[in-house]
Amino acid sequence: MAEIRINRVAKQFGKTHALQAIDLTIADREFMVLLGASGCGKTTLLRIVAGLETATAGQVHIGDRRVDQLPPKARGIAMVFQNYAVFPHLTVYENIAFGLRMAKLADSEIDKRVNRTAALMHIDPLLKRYSGQLSGGQRQRVAVSRALAMEPDVILMDEPLSNLDALLRMEMRAELKSVLAESNTTTIYVTHDQVEAMSMADRIAIMDQGHIVQCDVPVEIYRNPAAHFVGSFIGNPPMNFLKASRVDTGQWRVAGATLSGPGSDKNALDFAIRPEDITVGEGPLQAEVRLLEPLGSHTLLACRVDNTAFRVIVDSDTSVSIGDTLSLNPMADRVRWFDPDTQLAVPS
Amino acid sequence: MSTLVDGPVRGGRGQRVLFIATTVILCLWVLVPIYLLFVNAVSSSSDVTTFPKPRVPAIDLESLRFFMNYQGVARASWNSLVVACTTMVIAIGIGAPAGYALSRFDFRGKSAFRLLVLLTRAFPLPLLALPLAILYIRVGLDDTVLGIACVHALLAMPFAVLINFSLFSGIPVELEEAAWTLGCNRWQAFRKVVLPLVLPGLTASAIFAFVISWNEVFAAAVLTIEHRTLPAFLLQSLNSAPLHLKFAGGAMLVLPALFFIFAVRKYLFAMWGIANR
């Protein structure tokens, strides 16, 4: 049982506030991804849970123990680092056995665990090698095996795949997900790669400037961004935003067209729609096509609507050319609205 | 920028000639005196003054043998060895922790400290010699092996600190952090992960401190009378000795230093920021 409770955790580096009163609860055996651009505080938060960084304020509980005053070794965690941190002076076997030897386990138990985790990560033929003789992907596997061999309550991963090439990353992503699902550990996984986050996470916590902006299951984050930032960060390409001004209660003027929207008494809102939630043909929005990107499965159109960049995803068979003017019809149930002052979503 | 990595020999023919000429001059500058020193050391006493040297020198170890049996040489060598070893221990004992702290922690005055460490070499030893001698006589350190070792350690310290700083900086801090998460405390992580990785470099910086002490003559000559180190002893006794004995003494002095410096050259380059190729 290893629920992680992060309570009002804040971190200051000199005058900069890296984290501002973070509250986050991660359920036992949950796979939580901290997602955000670099400098948003996600790695700092992970390192505070690991005990490699001390929080300026707040508490961290793992299971029913308060751990924020404990050294890393007393927290029941294992960590996988971005640059692998495989000990270069030890063989793969000794790397995986390192923590087990520190825990003074019997040699037979160590041997059993090393062999089991090495087989799990498919590095059993490499046990006698040194890290200098391994590729980046193999080193990453050693680092993961080393963490799993500890049989920790919590595994912390700090951008573990970001140093791998694209193909390897995709392969490791699927493998990590299944291995961790079977290991019964609670996982916190830090990444800036939204595909990684979407594909692996049970829940994603999106971070920006030391805050958690939204924490929810991947689909919900994609469909219903809680804030302007989330919509503009998640999705490739991200959401389109247009300025909307109030005409009447529930009626909003967007790029010359009148659309029905939330009954807010604000004078201005931001209209948002994902590029794939738009049909071309009859519609209220007039778009001028500036650029075509045929991507095979679909074609990405970079347009201008109301002098704002606006992207549309259409079927690759659609015949469009640069300079065309299209009529766009945003799917009504996929339109989202944001308050430009608070940046938060406004329910429609 | 890959062309830069291949070395400075780029550009026109003139540049290449200049580069080669400079290299040759620098090499001769260092090698010719060493060559003459060794040739004369193994020549017979009558051959020492002849010039040009015969192409194949007649090996005559008589000067060396005489020198080795010369009274006081053995004792001075022993003193030198003890002083150099003590210097090594003090310099590493202080230099290694200082280097570790510089590479791992941020503290106020860090860059000032790095500069100050180098500044200890800015005061010429002759300037310090008199006050130092008086101080040593007062505290009773004069004419002791420990006393010279302390001065030598001071001379070796900037190098020890800076070499160790670059050594520890070369060990990613994540390796230590990984060790902490795997059940080590700070000291265990240092001993099990950092130490094995820096050990070759640490040895090199120790040897470098040894060589600095072994070669140092001024402080040793000023601060000792009875417990002379080899260079100080040679300075005193060989002043009036015949030429061939001077060469023999010089050769004996240079040899260990040359050998050790050659052994640790890789780490000295690392200290000066030159990639070892």
Side-chain angles (χ1 to χ4, degrees):
Chain A
M1 183 61 195
E3 181 189 74
I4 303 170
R5 271 173 296 133
I6 296 165
N7 224 328
R8 313 298 296 166
V9 162
K11 176 70 183 178
Q12 256 178 286
F13 291 108
K15 286 203 174 80
T16 28
H17 293 263
L19 292 176
Q20 324 218 15
I22 298 281
D23 280 312
L24 184 64
T25 302
I26 300 151
D28 184 33
R29 297 180 197 185
E30 189 176 22
F31 195 123
M32 171 66 82
V33 170
L34 303 180
L35 176 64
S38 52
C40 70
K42 56 192 193 298
T43 295
T44 306
L45 184 57
L46 187 81
R47 290 170 58 84
I48 286 173
V49 176
L52 300 174
E53 208 85 68
T54 321
T56 316
Q59 300 181 355
V60 180
H61 286 81
I62 295 178
D64 40 21
R65 285 193 311 155
R66 182 175 170 188
V67 297
D68 48 275
Q69 303 295 327
L70 301 177
K73 63 172 191 163
R75 296 187 178 202
I77 54 136
M79 186 153 169
V80 178
F81 292 82
Q82 180 173 6
N83 60 5
Y84 324 131
V86 173
F87 304 131
H89 60 299
L90 299 176
T91 59
V92 169
Y93 185 99
E94 284 305 320
N95 260 284
I96 301 174
F98 188 91
L100 308 176
R101 294 207 193 283
M102 288 308 297
K104 299 207 160 51
L105 294 188
D107 281 351
S108 57
E109 172 68 12
I110 292 176
D111 197 58
K112 207 174 83 190
R113 286 213 209 169
V114 170
N115 285 312
R116 187 173 56 78
T117 53
L120 198 63
M121 295 306 295
H122 309 295
I123 48 170
D124 30 343
L126 308 175
L127 285 174
K128 289 200 173 63
R129 299 228 195 142
Y130 287 90
S131 113
Q133 301 161 293
L134 302 177
S135 68
Q138 288 168 333
R139 271 178 233 179
Q140 190 56 71
R141 286 165 187 276
V142 175
V144 174
S145 300
R146 187 173 65 185
L148 288 174
M150 297 294 287
E151 296 181 1
D153 300 328
V154 175
I155 287 192
L156 306 171
M157 299 199 164
D158 185 9
E159 311 222 9
L161 304 183
S162 62
N163 286 0
L164 303 180
D165 62 58
L167 202 64
L168 205 53
R169 204 179 312 166
M170 213 153 82
E171 189 186 309
M172 280 295 280
R173 206 160 70 200
E175 211 173 310
L176 266 186
K177 190 179 178 179
S178 69
V179 163
L180 287 170
E182 280 165 34
S183 68
N184 288 334
T185 56
T186 310
T187 306
I188 304 181
Y189 187 105
V190 163
T191 183
H192 63 264
D193 181 338
Q194 49 172 300
V195 182
E196 235 168 82
M198 297 290 286
S199 60
M200 298 174 86
D202 291 329
R203 278 195 303 158
I204 300 176
I206 309 248
M207 295 186 65
D208 182 36
Q209 294 173 23
H211 293 280
I212 290 180
V213 187
Q214 187 175 10
C215 179
D216 216 324
V217 296
V219 175
E220 196 60 22
I221 283 194
Y222 188 81
R223 282 276 171 255
N224 296 313
H228 190 291
F229 171 79
V230 179
S232 62
F233 184 71
I234 294 287
N236 187 22
M239 272 185 148
N240 295 302
F241 293 93
L242 294 172
K243 297 259 167 261
S245 54
R246 192 159 66 107
V247 184
D248 202 348
T249 308
Q251 296 296 310
W252 298 86
R253 181 156 293 271
V254 180
T258 307
L259 303 173
S260 56
S264 159
D265 55 359
K266 283 265 182 188
N267 283 324
L269 287 182
D270 286 333
F271 161 94
I273 185 80
R274 292 216 171 266
E276 68 271 27
D277 296 336
I278 297 164
T279 52
V280 180
E282 286 304 295
L285 302 178
Q286 303 305 307
E288 189 202 341
V289 180
R290 292 289 183 88
L291 206 65
L292 293 176
E293 292 180 44
L295 297 173
S297 59
H298 57 263
T299 297
L300 182 61
L301 308 180
C303 312
R304 307 283 296 178
V305 173
D306 194 21
N307 269 328
T308 311
F310 198 93
R311 294 197 190 81
V312 183
I313 289 175
V314 295
D315 194 88
S316 7
D317 296 335
T318 319
S319 61
V320 216
S321 43
I322 293 172
D324 286 1
T325 303
L326 302 176
S327 278
L328 303 178
N329 184 23
M331 292 157 69
D333 59 331
R334 295 285 170 82
V335 173
R336 300 290 175 262
W337 303 86
F338 295 94
D339 184 328
D341 300 326
T342 62
Q343 300 285 312
L344 296 178
V346 179
S348 46
Chain B
M1 298 299 282
S2 65
T3 51
L4 276 180
V5 180
D6 289 333
V9 194
R10 291 288 142 178
R13 223 181 110 76
Q15 238 178 316
R16 179 182 292 256
V17 169
L18 189 69
F19 173 74
I20 293 173
T22 319
T23 313
V24 168
I25 290 171
L26 278 176
C27 287
L28 290 179
W29 177 269
V30 176
L31 292 177
V32 166
I34 293 178
Y35 166 76
L36 289 175
L37 187 65
F38 282 109
V39 163
N40 285 329
V42 296
S43 300
S44 63
S45 50
S46 53
D47 282 348
V48 166
T49 45
T50 60
F51 200 84
K53 297 290 162 200
R55 198 158 292 169
V56 183
I59 302 286
D60 181 351
L61 297 176
E62 192 47 45
S63 324
L64 280 177
R65 198 168 301 133
F66 180 84
F67 171 76
M68 294 300 275
N69 295 327
Y70 188 73
Q71 205 209 337
V73 166
R75 199 166 145 231
S77 302
W78 173 250
N79 283 341
S80 257
L81 194 68
V82 173
V83 169
C85 288
T86 316
T87 301
M88 197 165 82
V89 170
I90 299 175
I92 294 308
I94 298 174
Y100 183 82
L102 277 176
S103 85
R104 287 292 188 261
F105 304 114
D106 276 319
F107 50 87
R108 193 185 288 265
K110 182 167 157 172
S111 46
F113 176 75
R114 281 177 64 185
L115 193 68
L116 282 173
V117 160
L118 273 180
L119 274 183
T120 56
R121 297 297 311 239
F123 299 98
L125 207 49
L127 198 74
L128 296 175
L130 190 62
L132 207 56
I134 293 171
L135 184 75
Y136 268 29
I137 290 168
R138 282 199 187 142
V139 294
L141 267 177
D142 58 306
D143 201 14
T144 60
V145 164
L146 181 66
I148 324 172
C150 285
V151 176
H152 287 178
L154 188 72
L155 296 176
M157 195 64 69
F159 300 102
V161 171
L162 293 182
I163 294 177
N164 278 292
F165 166 62
S166 75
L167 277 176
F168 288 119
S169 300
I171 310 292
V173 70
E174 285 85 355
L175 288 182
E176 268 181 278
E177 292 178 339
W180 299 342
T181 62
L182 289 167
C184 292
N185 57 33
R186 193 159 204 132
W187 166 243
Q188 286 169 322
F190 180 82
R191 193 165 53 85
K192 285 177 183 289
V193 175
V194 180
L195 195 59
L197 293 172
V198 295
L199 205 54
L202 205 61
T203 316
S205 68
I207 288 177
F208 192 61
F210 183 97
V211 170
I212 285 181
S213 164
W214 181 270
N215 286 344
E216 201 286 325
V217 60
F218 189 85
V222 171
L223 295 175
T224 59
I225 299 157
E226 293 291 311
H227 298 92
R228 297 243 129 158
T229 60
L230 191 57
F233 174 78
L234 293 182
L235 186 72
Q236 179 192 32
S237 345
L238 291 185
N239 220 357
S240 46
L243 199 55
H244 63 277
L245 282 184
K246 286 183 180 169
F247 277 118
M252 290 308 291
L253 204 55
V254 166
L255 208 54
L258 267 186
F259 174 76
F260 281 136
I261 289 290
F262 186 75
V264 302
R265 65 195 183 285
K266 182 175 151 191
Y267 297 97
L268 300 180
F269 283 146
M271 177 183 75
W272 293 315
I274 309 165
N276 177 51
R277 275 184 243 126

